[in-house]
Amino acid sequence: MSPVLVLARLYITESMRRQLHLITLFLAVLMLVLPTLFNAFGMTGFDRVTKDVGLTLLSLYAVGMALFLGSTALPGDLEHRTLHPLLARPISRMQYLLGKFLGYLVVMGLSMAVLGLALLTALAVLGTRADPAVLIPVALSVLEAGVLGAFCLFASTFCSPALAGVLGCFLYIVGGIPQTFITFFLSSGSTQVQGAVVRAIRLFMPHFDVLHLKDPIVHGEAVPEAYLLAAVAYGLVWMLLFLLLADWSFERRDL
Amino acid sequence: MSNAIETRHLRKLYRRRREPDLLALEDLDLHVREGDIFGFIGPNGAGKSTTIKILIGLVRPTAGEALLFGEPCGTPASRRHLGYLPETAVYHEFMAVGELLDVHARLAGVAPAQRKTRCQEALEIVHLEDRAQTLLRELSKGMRQRFGIAQALIARPPLLVLDEPTSGLDPLAQLDVKNIILRLKGQGITIFFSSHQLTDVELICDQIGILHRGRMLRCGNLRELLEDSAEVEVRFRGGPAQLPGREVLEQGADRVVRLPREESDALVDHLREAGAHLVGLQVARRSLEQAFFEITRTSGEVEER
Ligand SMILES: Nc1ncnc2c1ncn2[C@@H]1O[C@H](COP(=O)(O)OP(=O)(O)OP(=O)(O)O)[C@@H](O)[C@H]1O
Ligand SMILES: [Mg+2]
């Protein structure tokens, strides 16, 4: 087995045994299923609300976990020095980072799969036809968690976990402002300088709004396949870029 | 014989945020021959762990070069023939001893068919064989240290780098570690270790390096380190119980005086005149501990001046 896979498996085993993940997952499932209990009155359109709220919850879960896990994974290893014996093995620091990150992606992917199934179950209980399209935003949330987690990992190579989390938050909020807002802002009375600043900041940030497909899905609109592919590629490129930056910064550090 | 470890003009400057930069190593030349046991001693903060971390690739040197079996340190290739025991490692606390050892075996590239026996073997060496299922968080400090030794041995590496292997161990376990080291040397393994247990270092090392404030003050075998003592010990019976300007030690029926070699003739004459019976005269052999104190102390004075 390649070192990356060995390290990924180590990460997965550990995070399962720490149970933090399992507990948050359990709570999230609970929150997804709870709304179905309130449908006792047979409100019309309630399934759409459940879909909307459920997908929002899933996305929040992914973002929260990405911020937390991404920014604490490496500092935790450094603080406890668990990485010293591992890095004394014939592996590169890049392989170490990739192993950790792969483990993180798998854990996130599995959690989101569980949550996605819980959401589908909740919808089924409400009597709607199971629509697998709701899984599209779920999958994109995993990708989003990948991008954000990779950024936090990068930030945590040069600053404290708390600061890395804050930076991640900033990136997510500013990077996630829908492009339509930006266009609107720029066209309505902003000065040239303001416009340039906004464009410059956004240039160096992933536009998370590209990955936000909750609204069209909730309203039953079809998303073109070409757009989906492009969005996935876009997310993957940013994720890779942050991982490369993380390695570049981590390589130079004294441990 | 070729060198397992070699450093040339190694220098490390730690950049610090709140304080001025710290020169942790300066112009360090190390040559550790294959098959030797090298003891690395020095006061707290001397730079021993820094040196070791540079060898492992955990810390990047500011200048100079370091090689393991001819491979530049810091590359995965240089770590292929290496077992390392960190100074204060905590291991993944939610993993069981056997599991984590297996992870190390995989990372070290131990062939799948051999993994199980190697893990078993390493655990037996450190007497943890009945703890394979225990989680690391449930081990005592000394057991964790022994786990650390086991993971260092897992791939039967030709070079072991151990940062204070006996720290935190009970006297029996310390003896164990000493015996393990000697046994491994018998198998031709090179061992480089840092320690504050000078008596152990004295007993088992082929070569000893004394590091102080980032500089190697002395390096050589025990004889070379101890013999440049310029003192002799004069042992006598009867005669004066006190001598002006000298300390007279009572050892049983004998009295013992230590003094510089060139003053021994005068003292012997004086004692004979005073009616003392001369029992013996020998070069005062220092223990490594005494040599360590003297060498580091004189160097401290030199630097303060
Ligand atoms: N990461 C770091 N950043 C800044 N300074 C450091 C760092 N690591 C070590 N130092 C400094 O480098 C010097 C050498 O430290 P080192 O840990 O190598 O000493 P040592 O000989 O192993 O001591 P000990 O016997 O206490 O283990 C010390 O003054 C220490 O404060
Ligand atoms: Mg040390």
Side-chain angles (χ1 to χ4, degrees), chain B residues 48-49 87 163-164:
Chain B
K48 304 181 294 296
S49 299
E87 184 174 32
D163 203 347
E164 299 192 27

Side-chain angles (χ1 to χ4, degrees), chain B residues 43-50 52-53 87 163-164 194 196:
Chain B
N44 290 137
K48 304 181 294 296
S49 299
T50 299
I52 287 176
K53 284 183 186 169
E87 184 174 32
D163 203 347
E164 299 192 27
S194 73
H196 294 295

Side-chain angles (χ1 to χ4, degrees), chain A residues 54-68:
Chain A
L55 287 175
T56 308
L57 183 76
L58 255 72
S59 156
L60 280 180
Y61 177 85
V63 169
M65 289 310 259
L67 289 174
F68 177 71

Side-chain angles (χ1 to χ4, degrees), chain B residues 92-161:
Chain B
H92 295 74
E93 47 178 8
F94 285 92
M95 300 293 285
V97 167
E99 280 176 333
L100 192 55
L101 213 50
D102 183 67
V103 167
H104 277 281
R106 285 171 192 267
L107 292 178
V110 174
Q114 292 175 342
R115 266 203 308 264
K116 222 173 155 183
T117 46
R118 287 288 176 83
C119 289
Q120 191 61 30
E121 178 187 287
L123 287 178
E124 276 166 16
I125 291 177
V126 296
H127 305 302
L128 281 179
E129 60 271 34
D130 54 347
R131 293 287 187 157
Q133 306 300 325
T134 312
L135 292 186
L136 271 127
R137 64 191 314 215
E138 291 161 359
L139 292 184
S140 76
K141 177 178 162 192
M143 289 177 188
R144 252 175 246 175
Q145 181 77 351
R146 284 193 266 162
F147 171 83
I149 296 173
Q151 62 81 24
L153 294 174
I154 193 75
R156 291 191 189 156
L159 171 65
L160 276 178
V161 176

Side-chain angles (χ1 to χ4, degrees), chain A residues 1 3 6 9-10 14 17-18 80-82 84-91 93 251 253-255, chain B residues 12 53 56-60 76 79 84 88 90-95 99 103-104 106-108 151 154:
Chain A
M1 219 195 304
V6 175
R9 208 178 64 167
L10 180 62
E14 266 234 310
R17 290 193 189 158
R18 272 183 202 283
H80 299 119
R81 301 177 194 233
T82 43
H84 288 199
L86 294 176
L87 282 182
R89 298 293 161 203
I91 59 168
R93 291 189 185 183
E251 290 287 344
R253 261 193 82 152
D254 287 335
L255 304 175
Chain B
K12 177 63 195 179
K53 284 183 186 169
I56 308 300
L58 295 171
V59 164
R60 309 289 188 212
R79 294 191 283 266
Y84 167 56
T88 49
V90 177
Y91 302 91
H92 295 74
E93 47 178 8
F94 285 92
M95 300 293 285
E99 280 176 333
V103 167
H104 277 281
R106 285 171 192 267
L107 292 178
Q151 62 81 24
I154 193 75

Side-chain angles (χ1 to χ4, degrees), chain A residues 217-245:
Chain A
I217 296 288
V218 168
H219 294 107
E221 295 164 22
V223 179
E225 226 169 79
Y227 177 86
L228 267 184
L229 284 178
V232 167
Y234 179 78
L236 288 177
V237 167
W238 273 104
M239 193 169 86
L240 211 65
L241 183 72
F242 285 139
L243 284 177
L244 288 175
L245 282 174

Side-chain angles (χ1 to χ4, degrees), chain A residues 207-222:
Chain A
H207 296 184
F208 286 106
D209 54 296
V210 169
L211 303 177
H212 294 165
L213 292 185
K214 177 184 63 105
D215 291 346
I217 296 288
V218 168
H219 294 107
E221 295 164 22

